[in-house]
Amino acid sequence: AMTHPLWPEIDRVTREQLSYAQQDVDGGIWQLFAEEGEMKMYRRELEEDGLVVDPLKAVHQIRGASAHEMAHHFWSPDVRFEWETTLEQVTVLDRISEDTLLFLQLHKRVWPTAQRDALFWSHIREIPKSDPANCDAHDTWIVCNKSSEHPDAPNDGKCVRVDLTICFVCQTFIDPPVAEGESVSRDNLLTKITYCSVVNPGGWAPASVLRTVYKREYPKFLKRFTQYVIDKTADQPIAF
Ligand SMILES: CC(C)(C)c1cc(CCc2ccccn2)cc(-c2ccc(S(=O)(=O)CCO)cc2)c1
């Protein structure tokens, strides 16, 4: 809960990530590397101690599912294997609060790199209407994933531990607007998504391999994930 020792960091990083996600893409520093329909993916070249870190920023918009539905399925441990294809194991080490979990993820090995794992807290929250970050959206939700420590998951060298900061910001607009009291259909849901990721692979991996994997995996992931949520929620009442 709010008294958890990690809470100040969780709150600060989530706010910082929200404003980072909502900054316009500046063509000067961000390089468009993939575009498919409404999805645009940008990257920056960044290396830390010779390791490719390459921050990523993706924007997408879909019809048929709400911001809450998108954010909830991105955050929920119960459905992770249904859309995340790079995973071998997912463990929830800690339930920090109702909306914040501590995940330990073992990723499939990607030849020729060593197998990697990720230990991170994952926090989901609705951004209140009053918050200027909400602007004119019907509802705004964010999921923030940030690498953390945990006594039960020491970085024991069996795996290379990646260091990640991820945010997934979703805003739903009712388009076209419907009159008060009229029911909203799923076709009226226009949800804008911004996905930001900074992942330090944590140990030696050829820049060429990482950049190839990265350029191939990320567009697939965002398309696959959004389609999964649209299909899964199609015949259910809208959850705002
Ligand atoms: C490619 C790179 C960016 C460095 C990378 C490498 C690996 C480790 C697995 C791996 C993949 C490719 C090459 C080497 N190791 C994982 C991730 C990663 C982890 C988590 C998330 S998430 O958005 O939090 C969704 C929940 O899983 C996204 C990306 C990224």
Side-chain angles (χ1 to χ4, degrees), residues 4-88:
H4 190 281
L6 277 175
W7 177 250
E9 175 191 296
I10 292 165
D11 192 42
R12 173 178 55 79
V13 171
T14 302
R15 292 171 189 283
E16 285 167 357
Q17 286 295 303
L18 177 62
S19 63
Y20 174 68
Q22 297 199 321
Q23 278 168 18
D24 282 340
V25 170
D26 164 2
I29 50 170
W30 290 98
Q31 178 196 71
L32 180 68
F33 76 89
E35 187 166 3
E36 276 185 57
E38 298 294 329
M39 182 176 73
K40 293 183 175 60
M41 292 208 139
Y42 302 85
R43 59 193 279 272
R44 282 194 292 124
E45 297 248 346
L46 177 67
E47 299 202 359
E48 277 168 6
D49 337 312
L51 291 178
V52 164
V53 174
D54 287 10
L56 173 122
K57 188 170 210 179
V59 291
H60 194 17
Q61 69 179 41
I62 55 97
R63 280 185 181 278
S66 69
H68 187 189
E69 291 166 338
M70 281 289 159
H72 174 75
H73 286 86
F74 184 76
W75 176 83
S76 169
D78 307 341
V79 297
R80 185 136 313 161
F81 277 108
E82 290 178 25
W83 56 269
E84 242 289 23
T85 55
T86 71
L87 292 178
E88 232 172 68

